[in-house]
């Protein structure tokens, strides 16, 4: 109990303030970090899942597409095209 409360209360707080469950909130922050890495060209989209905390490439791609509505590869191409 790091936060000094039970998991049900903490889950309710996340749901109330962020309008999503904890897993989705965590994935939103992971995808935000992935977008930074893509924009800085640190990693290719196929390598991003590990530094962003995902256990597999397919889980990363599914979360990215759910949140951004495009694949990481498409996002990278769009970002690069927008910079020119």
């Amino acid at each position: 109990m790091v936060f000094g409360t039970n998991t049900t209360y903490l889950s309710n707080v996340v749901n109330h303030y962020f309008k999503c469950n904890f897993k989705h909130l965590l994935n939103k922050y992971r995808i935000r970090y992935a977008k930074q890495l893509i924009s800085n060209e640190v990693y290719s989209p196929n390598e991003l899942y590990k530094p962003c905390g995902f256990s597999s490439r397919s889980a990363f791609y599914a979360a990215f597409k759910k949140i951004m509505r495009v694949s990481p590869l498409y996002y990278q191409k769009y970002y690069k095209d927008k910079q020119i």
Side-chain angles (χ1 to χ4, degrees):
M1 293 196 31
V2 175
F3 296 107
T5 188
N6 65 38
T7 56
T8 303
Y9 177 77
L10 187 58
S11 176
N12 288 335
V13 169
V14 168
N15 291 339
H16 177 74
Y17 286 102
F18 296 101
K19 308 295 186 221
C20 62
N21 63 34
F22 180 73
K23 181 181 175 183
H24 186 72
L25 179 66
L26 181 60
N27 283 345
K28 283 169 52 173
Y29 283 105
R30 288 173 170 171
I31 298 305
R32 182 186 295 174
Y33 181 58
K35 287 170 35 182
Q36 289 177 341
L37 294 178
I38 289 171
S39 66
N40 294 334
E41 298 181 2
V42 177
Y43 295 95
S44 75
N46 290 326
E47 302 169 323
L48 283 173
Y49 74 94
K50 285 183 181 178
C52 293
F54 288 93
S55 60
S56 69
R57 191 176 76 85
S58 61
F60 167 68
Y61 267 64
F64 196 98
K65 191 152 189 170
K66 182 177 182 179
I67 292 169
M68 297 302 299
R69 298 192 171 119
V70 296
S71 72
L73 291 170
Y74 183 87
Y75 180 84
Q76 181 185 41
K77 180 181 179 345
Y78 173 77
Y79 186 83
K80 282 184 176 181
D81 291 346
K82 197 172 183 179
Q83 295 292 36
I84 296 174

